[in-house]
Amino acid sequence: MNAPLINWYKFSSPATFYPLAAKLIPWFTAATILLAAVGLWISFFVAPTDAQQGEGYRIIFVHVAASWMSMFIYCVMAFWSAMCLSFNARLSGMMASALAPTGAMFAFLSLLTGSLWGKPMWGAWWVWDARLTSQLILFFLYLGFIALQSAIDDPRRADKAGAILSLVGVINVPIIYFSVQWWNTLHQGASVSMTKSPSMAQTMLWGMLIMALAFWAYSITMALLRVRCIILEREMTNEWVKKNALE
Amino acid sequence: MKPRHKRMVLILAALAVLGVAAMLVLNAFRSNLVFFYTPTQIANGEAPHNKPFRIGGLVKTGTLHRDGVTAYFTVTDTSKDTIVKYTGILPDLFREGRGVVAEGRIGDDGQFTASEVLAKHDENYMPPEAKSAVDQAQQAMKTLKP
Amino acid sequence: MSAFFVPFKQSVQRDLLLAARHKTELITALFFFVIVVNLLPLGVGPDPELLRKIAPGILWIGALLATLLGMQRMFAPDHADGTLEQMALSPQSFTVLVAGKITAHWLVAGVPVVLMAPLLGLQFDLSARSLWVLTLSLLLGTPVLSLIGSVGAALTLGVRGGGVLLSLLILPLYIPALIFGAGAVEADLAGLSIEGHMSLLAALAVLSAFFGPWVTTFALRIALE
Amino acid sequence: MLSVTQLTCQRGERVLFEGLNFELPEAQWLHVCGANGCGKTSLLRILTGLAEPVSGTISWNGTAIGEKREVFHEDLLYLGHQGALKEELTPLENLTLSLGMEGYTRGPKDVAEALHQFGLRGREHLPVRFLSAGQRRRVLLTRLLLRPARLWILDEPFTALDVHAVAFLTEKISAHLETQGTVVLTSHQPLTLAHGQAITL
């Protein structure tokens, strides 16, 4: 009999995922610290001054990485939501709710750094252009998801209701991403895209990518930490929790 | 109707709905749904009348002059120009030859008076040395052309 | 086709009959709309030019809040007394019955607002042409509000603090309808073509009309479990 | 025939019942017994397909109930705890509307006739809010006479009924069983009906 490379079904059960997450957390924590240190060092000391914006552009290293993560986490959340609805998998629902607070934090960080950047460069804290408005909606969607899940007592219903909401809201993500192409906005276009070579200096690009990786590792760490808490909370009465997890 | 047929009908209907929606969205993108208007659009009379709107383009090189705290400059999209009058502090990134978005209205004298000026920067980030190298190369290209 | 129209008609008729027995609810939404729209000029002052400028936004936000007012009651009473269970167990398609309920909500909450809007627009000194655009944009937009709202109403069914939560979930999803609806009237006031805004509003209407009842039914089944 | 295999139901963190099996052939009835809060209503809701079990399958005439939902619902009549009656409507309107939603059209005469059988003569045009608990229950039970269905799932049908109504309902249930119908019900009263089985949760 051909044994599959990895038995995915085995890891989709909370009881097996709980110890696995515990093993993964230190690695991702180390990756976060390392990448963030390197990324910040490049951003502040190595990357050259920008010809147009001087030193002020350095906020890009946080802003772009945070914006990417806020959209990416929403997509991952929608993916787990779809899994939760179609396969009725408990762990998928838990993953979605573990990701939401980090996503909301990044969406907020993106808006905050954006307005700190906008004031000196554009001359305005905030403008109602398509990119900014749709990113604000994304933040509200995260808040709505968290509020809905915390208002429903039955965890199974909370998972499914949240899943529907996140799947309805995922339409917003491509709108945010392409808004700078579809409308002529005040916000500049994307510096890094699939179709053309990046329009920024090499070191700047490296700084940005490493910061994005750092945020990515951070999101995974936080999601794993949170999913462990959620598993404990929900499986409190199960035998394996009493035996192994609460020692 | 059998369940299989019903599912087919539903899928076809969904595709039709998506098609119609896509058509409507494409139609919308052909008409004007914009954050700002270009000088060409203004020249063609596409911009709003007697109502504030935003104008966007590049600040034409050599057109910025000040009269006390009032600044005058020309916004261009390389084919048409619009003269903008603005009283107040211009943002740091406001330079000749760079992008700008100004909000204001066209007065009876036909001049655009801005109430707010925002600097629009592009998505290119490079160190000053690289920038001057690029500029020099562009100059060289221009002088080489007959 | 009759498999669709007969239960749809039954469902609409039933909710309209119930609404007719609760006349206060009917009037509340409309009265709320009138009051909110009339409060804002009192707040910002009587400058006619300013009022004309903000009229599309005010009228649209008023319409949006007025339809949101009764949104929670779209399913809550039927859920409380077990009617919703019976609908879910009906041999007729639950989705079609739900579509009927959403339509009834629009007829009760949306249509009066659409009909009232031009009258209130007159208070803001809008031209006859702009009044037409306003009515048309609301006619296309209010069904979108009912349809998106129904998803929120189904998700928050029987949840504590449901009313506030409903607005938190739904209002961000209303933003596109508000932008394009009010945008159409603003464009017309500025002497521009309304085609772009209207097309996007129509796209929203088509998409939500097809997928709205379906998603709502899905959410209702979860709420009934 | 209603068959249930390995049914498990969980409410929150508590497992209500596990590995439940039974088969209910035509012309038979099932009495679900048990103390308060042991999962009787949950079982009935799972049997109707409203609630999802944690595990296990339910099939009606050999087909899983979720597979051809509309066909199953055609055969099913479920009366729950809640009245599903609108206070502001009369019994006549209530029944006409709920039948209409299920795709059955009955003239006011038929509906009024059925209400009379259940002892509600003279109450047809009175809004439901003026009726007593027992009378409301009767209005609800009138649906058994008006809506043809082969499987009746009744949650506490005898609550709030007086002796006459209990006798009448018992008679109606045995008549249903005689016409090859199937009944699942919960009740705290001992029932005098033939061809029954009972399970205790």
Side-chain angles (χ1 to χ4, degrees):
Chain A
M1 196 181 119
N2 279 344
L5 212 55
I6 303 169
N7 188 352
W8 290 108
Y9 282 104
K10 199 178 137 207
F11 289 113
S12 65
S13 127
T16 41
F17 189 76
Y18 185 83
L20 176 73
K23 274 188 216 131
L24 290 174
I25 286 170
W27 292 101
F28 280 105
T29 315
T32 308
I33 295 170
L34 197 73
L35 286 165
V38 174
L40 287 172
W41 180 64
I42 292 180
S43 335
F44 283 106
F45 301 108
V46 179
T49 312
D50 180 54
Q52 280 186 77
Q53 303 183 25
E55 302 294 344
Y57 90 98
R58 287 186 195 278
I59 206 160
I60 199 175
F61 296 112
V62 178
H63 176 72
V64 172
S67 312
W68 279 349
M69 283 317 296
S70 67
M71 286 188 270
F72 181 62
I73 290 179
Y74 201 92
C75 292
V76 176
M77 225 169 82
F79 166 77
W80 287 122
S81 299
M83 299 297 275
C84 168
L85 289 181
S86 42
F87 298 112
N88 207 357
R90 274 183 302 158
L91 191 61
S92 304
M94 296 181 191
M95 285 303 276
S97 41
L99 281 165
T102 314
M105 192 271 284
F106 279 130
F108 181 71
L109 193 65
S110 151
L111 292 169
L112 186 77
T113 52
S115 84
L116 289 177
W117 193 10
K119 185 62 189 173
M121 297 307 159
W122 296 341
W125 296 108
W126 183 263
V127 286
W128 293 103
D129 88 350
R131 174 53 81 75
L132 278 69
T133 310
S134 50
Q135 179 71 15
L136 185 67
I137 297 179
L138 182 72
F139 179 55
F140 289 153
L141 287 176
Y142 273 120
L143 292 189
F145 179 88
I146 296 169
L148 179 66
Q149 288 219 317
S150 58
I152 301 176
D153 295 321
D154 177 24
R156 262 173 68 178
R157 194 190 154 191
D159 279 349
K160 287 184 182 173
I164 292 180
L165 186 69
S166 66
L167 284 173
V168 169
V170 81
I171 308 161
N172 188 38
V173 174
I175 295 179
I176 304 175
Y177 188 75
F178 293 111
S179 55
V180 284
Q181 286 174 32
W182 290 345
W183 291 280
N184 43 2
T185 56
L186 182 63
H187 197 285
Q188 67 276 15
S191 296
V192 182
S193 77
M194 304 272 195
T195 47
K196 62 181 173 71
S197 59
S199 57
M200 63 195 311
Q202 279 286 319
T203 31
M204 295 182 185
L205 183 66
W206 277 112
M208 210 159 87
L209 292 180
I210 291 173
M211 281 305 286
L213 282 178
F215 282 9
W216 197 50
Y218 169 80
S219 312
I220 295 177
T221 316
M222 291 312 288
L224 288 177
L225 278 173
R226 224 173 265 126
V227 93
R228 270 170 65 90
C229 290
I230 296 173
I231 289 175
L232 273 194
E233 217 178 315
R234 297 220 190 141
E235 311 267 309
M236 198 89 106
T237 48
N238 281 11
E239 275 308 305
W240 71 268
V241 175
K242 286 181 195 149
K243 238 185 257 167
N244 305 318
L246 294 177
E247 277 165 2
Chain B
M1 226 171 357
K2 279 182 193 149
R4 204 159 52 87
H5 290 162
K6 216 165 125 186
R7 197 168 305 149
M8 278 301 286
V9 167
L10 271 179
I11 290 171
L12 284 179
L15 286 178
V17 163
L18 287 175
V20 170
M23 228 168 62
L24 286 165
V25 171
L26 285 178
N27 182 42
F29 282 133
R30 278 195 299 118
S31 51
N32 47 359
L33 262 180
V34 288
F35 182 70
F36 56 75
Y37 294 89
T38 60
T40 307
Q41 284 176 312
I42 295 169
N44 293 343
E46 287 170 32
H49 315 289
N50 60 49
K51 184 179 175 276
F53 65 95
R54 297 193 190 90
I55 171 177
L58 297 172
V59 183
K60 204 171 186 178
T61 318
T63 58
L64 175 68
H65 65 275
R66 289 171 201 269
D67 182 9
V69 287
T70 309
Y72 295 89
F73 56 88
T74 304
V75 174
T76 179
D77 56 359
T78 67
S79 69
K80 287 280 185 337
D81 295 350
T82 305
I83 297 171
V84 175
K85 176 184 160 198
Y86 175 64
T87 309
I89 303 159
L90 292 166
D92 286 354
L93 267 194
F94 183 88
R95 307 269 162 75
E96 291 187 348
R98 292 286 164 69
V100 71
V101 172
E103 186 171 350
R105 61 168 71 209
I106 294 180
D108 296 330
D109 53 350
Q111 193 177 33
F112 186 89
T113 308
S115 54
E116 189 181 22
V117 172
L118 300 168
K120 177 172 164 62
H121 60 83
D122 55 27
E123 67 274 25
N124 299 310
Y125 305 91
M126 56 181 91
E129 308 88 66
K131 173 73 179 156
S132 57
V134 169
D135 289 347
Q136 269 172 16
Q138 275 172 352
Q139 280 295 319
M141 286 292 283
K142 268 184 199 160
T143 45
L144 275 177
K145 272 180 195 157
Chain C
M1 272 293 113
S2 68
F4 174 83
F5 282 114
V6 175
F8 181 77
K9 208 180 95 202
Q10 287 280 357
S11 175
V12 174
Q13 277 177 344
R14 173 178 172 280
D15 275 29
L16 288 183
L17 176 64
L18 282 169
R21 298 284 159 93
H22 283 283
K23 288 203 187 58
T24 43
E25 264 177 53
L26 249 169
I27 297 160
T28 322
L30 196 60
F31 190 57
F32 181 83
F33 179 52
V34 174
I35 287 279
V36 164
V37 170
N38 276 298
L39 273 184
L40 277 152
L42 298 176
V44 298
D47 173 16
E49 195 171 328
L50 176 70
L51 286 181
R52 204 178 308 128
K53 209 170 91 179
I54 60 175
I58 291 180
L59 286 162
W60 252 89
I61 290 178
L64 197 149
L65 293 177
T67 49
L68 192 64
L69 209 61
M71 199 66 80
Q72 223 214 333
R73 294 188 51 78
M74 198 193 283
F75 301 116
D78 282 347
H79 182 237
D81 67 17
T83 311
L84 210 56
E85 272 178 9
Q86 293 296 338
M87 287 170 75
L89 293 179
S90 163
Q92 313 269 15
S93 160
F94 190 26
T95 316
V96 171
L97 294 175
V98 168
K101 286 188 76 70
I102 300 171
T103 311
H105 175 269
W106 177 66
L107 289 173
V108 170
V111 171
V113 164
V114 175
L115 296 177
M116 193 51 135
L119 270 178
L120 294 174
L122 278 177
Q123 287 185 300
F124 290 86
D125 196 24
L126 293 183
S127 69
R129 213 187 112 79
S130 295
L131 288 177
W132 271 111
V133 174
L134 173 72
T135 314
L136 192 65
S137 74
L138 282 171
L139 202 60
L140 267 178
T142 42
V144 177
L145 301 182
S146 292
L147 285 156
I148 297 178
S150 73
V151 177
L155 284 175
T156 55
L157 200 57
V159 169
R160 68 193 130 77
V164 184
L165 189 62
L166 173 65
S167 352
L168 188 63
L169 298 187
I170 287 314
L171 287 175
L173 297 174
Y174 274 178
I175 293 174
L178 172 68
I179 290 176
F180 301 130
V185 188
E186 266 165 21
D188 184 68
L189 280 175
L192 299 175
S193 154
I194 58 165
E195 200 189 333
H197 291 100
M198 284 300 187
S199 298
L200 284 175
L201 208 52
L204 279 178
V206 170
L207 283 178
S208 53
F210 187 80
F211 292 104
W214 192 73
V215 178
T216 305
T217 312
F218 203 74
L220 283 176
R221 283 201 198 279
I222 291 170
L224 282 174
E225 255 183 39
Chain D
M1 165 132 89
L2 183 72
S3 44
V4 164
T5 40
Q6 288 301 320
L7 204 64
T8 300
C9 166
Q10 195 176 350
R11 212 72 191 137
E13 297 301 329
R14 218 161 62 87
V15 176
L16 290 178
F17 50 83
E18 234 173 329
L20 185 72
N21 292 298
F22 66 81
E23 273 195 355
L24 191 63
E26 279 173 358
Q28 287 229 5
W29 67 284
L30 176 76
H31 187 180
V32 181
C33 316
N36 291 334
C38 68
K40 294 191 296 289
T41 298
S42 296
L43 173 63
L44 294 198
R45 286 174 57 86
I46 288 174
L47 291 181
T48 61
L50 279 173
E52 289 275 321
V54 175
S55 63
T57 51
I58 302 144
S59 48
W60 172 247
N61 295 336
T63 322
I65 56 165
E67 214 161 284
K68 284 183 182 161
R69 228 197 286 251
E70 264 106 22
V71 177
F72 175 59
H73 288 169
E74 190 74 55
D75 282 344
L76 170 74
L77 181 65
Y78 168 68
L79 297 183
H81 264 307
Q82 291 154 321
L85 296 176
K86 292 286 167 196
E87 299 260 297
E88 55 274 33
L89 301 182
T90 65
L92 203 64
E93 288 168 327
N94 261 306
L95 288 171
T96 317
L97 284 175
S98 62
L99 285 168
M101 299 265 259
E102 293 182 289
Y104 294 92
T105 33
R106 286 275 184 281
K109 244 194 184 154
D110 293 349
V111 179
E113 169 60 26
L115 283 167
H116 295 169
Q117 282 192 41
F118 247 111
L120 288 165
R121 189 180 288 277
R123 306 283 191 281
E124 308 93 320
H125 296 292
L126 207 60
V128 166
R129 67 169 170 276
F130 296 121
L131 300 185
S132 74
Q135 285 172 322
R136 287 176 194 210
R137 202 70 206 163
R138 290 181 195 206
V139 176
L140 190 62
L141 290 167
T142 308
R143 290 188 53 208
L144 296 176
L145 310 181
L146 289 164
R147 151 92 155 89
R150 293 177 53 206
L151 173 64
W152 289 1
I153 296 185
L154 313 174
D155 198 357
E156 301 285 353
F158 297 103
T159 327
L161 293 185
D162 61 22
V163 185
H164 296 294
V166 168
F168 182 71
L169 180 57
T170 317
E171 193 185 302
K172 282 293 148 198
I173 291 175
S174 53
H176 180 61
L177 292 172
E178 270 160 32
T179 55
Q180 303 304 302
T182 312
V183 181
V184 178
L185 58 81
T186 60
S187 171
H188 292 293
Q189 279 170 313
L191 288 170
T192 50
L193 278 168
H195 313 296
Q197 34 178 307
I199 51 167
T200 308
L201 294 177

